[in-house]
Amino acid sequence: MAKNLAKKILESHLVEGDLEKGEEIGIRIDHTLLQDATGTLAMLEFEALGLEKVRVEIAAQYVDHNLLQTDNKNADDHRYLQTVAARYGLHFSPPGNGVSHQVHMERFGVPGKTLLGADSHSTGAAGISMLGIGAGGMDVALAMAGFPYSFPRPRIFGVRLLGRLPDWVSAKDVILEMLRRYGVDGCLNKIVEYYGPGVKSLSATDRETIGNMGAELGATTSIFPSDENTRAYLEAQGRGEAWVPLEADEGAPYDEHGEIDLSRLEPLIARPSSPGNVVPVREVAGIPVDQVIVGSSVNSSFRDLMVAARMMENRHCHPRVSFHVNPGSRQVLENVMARGGGLSLLLAGARISEPGCQGCIGMGQAPGMGQVSLRTFPRNFPGRSGTPNDRVYLCSPETAAAAALRGVITDPRDLAGEMPYPRIADPERYLTDEFSIIHPSEELRRTEVVRGPNIRPLPEFPPLPEDLTAGVGIVVTRGDPSALLGGAVGASPAAFLAAERHAPYVDARRPQDGSKTAYQPGPVLRLDHEQVTLRQRVNFEPHEPHYAPFPLADEGA
């Protein structure tokens, strides 16, 4: 029987459950990645397991979130992460080297492998035909120990791509079109698989953009075939030997179907304050803009920054606009600089930051009160920028650069009379920095782990009982809290929240029969950034919960 690509990869990694029936499956994980915002706790959790080293093919620890080091705590965390990575056999990417999922695709990504990352945008691994899933630090710690990763059995959503993107339209507009159609929860518990003749017109980094923001659809992950474009990218990275061809069988079935004619797309933009609030750029053109940011967690590749650089060449940003550029990796910055893009951006008034997440996670670059900010980021949830009542729009690098030049939201097609469209090809061979990542070795395994004053080992916990009684700590709802039947699965003071995996909001309810006991076969408990699968019975104690009608905090950039 013909099989789609997602099913082929899942089958080759399946260790628990059934892909045709049942509620949950477990898969073997080949690669793991951690970032520093959740990595410290995850590594403490891994240490508590008492193992001598990691038990996956590749484990990597990245420092890309807390880069400012405004006091000793971040620097202490980073030293702990570097030394504990050396001790247990992880690759370590230090501050300034780049965003975790961007660097992982560059230096470690392999088609057909599985990746579990403590960053929700690990789904960007789709760009290299890798099945990347975002998860909590506890899940990643367990995967590093060799345990399978369990999650709800996904449906496979096949999206057939036709045609080729026109000038001034790019991969960001493809995923914004998906969000326009399906919203931020339209792909819950689904793997989005892109196929069809239009795929060959998209580069590996184009595909990474689409896969990255598949997280905003609520998708478990996304996947693209591994083809000649994938091979060209790997060869440009000096890793051509890692390439293998992968694709769906002819006539492979999908659980759901969609189709996008790339040639019919136009520049799109997500209005405040949701990635799903998408309209054509022309509908909001003319709104004054105060800040523009290109890069960070998505659209921070060589191609994306060079598009902005060529558009800004021999021009200057509007005097009202604060124009920022956040490279996705040191490699991207080096290659942009080598081809003159860095000078073009500096002369245009750009403020170029060190490679990392930066404003994408609210780490600086907050706009002023009431100001409009256009960003190529993946998310614009209320207040995520660090400014209350912010007005953040999400767009392509083309639309961002057009706004930086004009000072108002501008359909980039309106610039066609002033400049040719800058079609950027990836280098045949990237400049690669083999020394910025510290690779594991037997010698480094003898490293003494450095623990600053804010690093403490986990306390000893007894096993969870079969019956757990606790008060409801918080209820996060999709709408009117009165719609809930008196509460939600929860545990206080631990502040657990039960929710479906990847759901943007919690909507867990008490049993309708009025009893105090609920059986939850496979939801997720959230403790800050952590997720674990709950199988125990939960008993509710009467307790007036706090209602919070807004999205849960994000696990990563």
Side-chain angles (χ1 to χ4, degrees), residues 81-103:
L81 292 173
Q82 179 178 349
T83 56
V84 78
R87 167 66 182 82
Y88 290 101
L90 287 79
H91 300 262
F92 180 74
S93 180
N97 201 46
V99 178
S100 60
H101 40 85
Q102 169 85 23
V103 179

Side-chain angles (χ1 to χ4, degrees), residues 470-474 489-498 525-528 530 552:
V472 176
I474 185 171
V489 176
S492 178
F496 281 121
L497 295 177
L525 289 176
R526 288 176 176 261
L527 174 56
D528 293 332
E530 300 309 309
L552 288 171

Side-chain angles (χ1 to χ4, degrees), residues 73 78 82:
K73 296 183 182 66
H78 299 165
Q82 179 178 349

Side-chain angles (χ1 to χ4, degrees), residues 36 39-40 43-44 47 61-64 66-67 69 71-88 90 92-95 436 438 444 447-455:
D36 53 303
T40 302
M43 286 309 303
L44 287 169
E47 284 191 284
Q61 171 67 63
Y62 298 89
V63 178
D64 60 1
N66 298 321
L67 300 178
Q69 299 178 335
D71 62 16
N72 67 288
K73 296 183 182 66
N74 289 159
D76 287 342
D77 280 355
H78 299 165
R79 182 62 67 196
Y80 165 72
L81 292 173
Q82 179 178 349
T83 56
V84 78
R87 167 66 182 82
Y88 290 101
L90 287 79
F92 180 74
S93 180
S436 291
I438 302 173
L444 287 176
T447 299
E448 180 180 353
V449 178
V450 178
R451 305 175 193 277
N454 55 313
I455 306 295

Side-chain angles (χ1 to χ4, degrees), residues 217-263:
L217 292 164
T220 301
T221 190
S222 302
I223 193 74
F224 279 87
S226 175
D227 56 13
E228 290 300 318
N229 290 356
T230 317
R231 178 159 69 174
Y233 177 80
L234 283 168
E235 289 179 346
Q237 292 287 345
R239 300 195 299 112
E241 75 284 351
W243 181 74
V244 291
L246 295 170
E247 63 179 352
D249 295 334
E250 185 69 28
Y254 295 92
D255 297 310
E256 298 178 31
H257 295 269
E259 184 173 285
I260 297 177
D261 185 344
L262 301 177
S263 66

Side-chain angles (χ1 to χ4, degrees), residues 7 40 110 113 129 169 214 266 270 354 364 369 424-425 508 511 513:
K7 186 172 183 179
T40 302
V110 178
K113 298 290 188 178
S129 198
V169 179
E266 64 176 304
E354 68 175 313
M369 291 294 292
I424 304 296
D513 61 7

Side-chain angles (χ1 to χ4, degrees), residues 217-488:
L217 292 164
T220 301
T221 190
S222 302
I223 193 74
F224 279 87
S226 175
D227 56 13
E228 290 300 318
N229 290 356
T230 317
R231 178 159 69 174
Y233 177 80
L234 283 168
E235 289 179 346
Q237 292 287 345
R239 300 195 299 112
E241 75 284 351
W243 181 74
V244 291
L246 295 170
E247 63 179 352
D249 295 334
E250 185 69 28
Y254 295 92
D255 297 310
E256 298 178 31
H257 295 269
E259 184 173 285
I260 297 177
D261 185 344
L262 301 177
S263 66
R264 297 175 64 88
L265 293 183
E266 64 176 304
L268 298 172
I269 193 167
R271 297 176 295 184
S273 289
S274 168
N277 190 14
V278 177
V279 297
V281 174
R282 55 183 167 79
E283 291 189 11
V284 292
I287 294 175
V289 172
D290 303 281
Q291 183 190 58
V292 169
I293 310 180
V294 176
S296 287
S297 180
V298 70
N299 292 117
S300 55
S301 68
F302 170 81
R303 179 265 172 205
D304 291 321
L305 268 59
M306 285 300 294
V307 164
R310 293 290 177 254
M311 289 177 66
M312 304 300 291
E313 197 167 32
N314 298 320
R315 299 173 178 85
H316 199 278
C317 65
H318 190 279
R320 183 178 56 249
V321 174
S322 179
F323 179 38
H324 301 254
V325 175
N326 299 339
S329 69
R330 186 184 300 273
Q331 181 190 105
V332 166
L333 181 57
E334 289 169 350
N335 282 271
V336 168
M337 291 290 186
R339 288 158 179 81
L343 185 59
S344 295
L345 290 167
L346 286 171
L347 292 175
R351 302 166 62 181
I352 301 178
S353 300
E354 68 175 313
C357 299
Q358 311 295 351
C360 185
I361 57 162
M363 190 63 65
Q365 300 178 327
M369 291 294 292
Q371 292 184 0
V372 170
S373 176
L374 261 63
R375 304 175 169 205
T376 66
F377 296 179
R379 291 177 179 154
N380 61 342
F381 300 144
R384 182 179 173 88
S385 69
T387 300
N389 302 312
D390 51 7
R391 300 170 65 192
V392 174
Y393 294 73
L394 307 177
C395 63
S396 70
E398 290 88 342
T399 300
L405 287 169
R406 295 274 183 95
V408 297
I409 297 178
T410 302
D411 188 322
R413 295 174 296 183
D414 293 346
L415 300 181
E418 302 176 21
M419 64 181 78
Y421 178 58
R423 285 202 174 272
I424 304 296
D426 288 327
E428 290 187 9
R429 180 64 188 262
Y430 283 98
L431 295 173
T432 55
D433 182 353
E434 298 296 340
F435 301 102
S436 291
I437 295 177
I438 302 173
H439 301 285
S441 69
E442 285 304 312
E443 181 181 0
L444 287 176
R445 291 279 318 284
R446 297 193 291 271
T447 299
E448 180 180 353
V449 178
V450 178
R451 305 175 193 277
N454 55 313
I455 306 295
R456 295 284 186 274
L458 293 184
E460 296 265 343
F461 292 112
L464 279 173
E466 287 301 312
D467 296 303
L468 177 64
T469 301
V472 176
I474 185 171
V475 179
V476 183
T477 74
R478 292 180 184 274
D480 182 359
S482 65
L484 292 176
L485 301 178

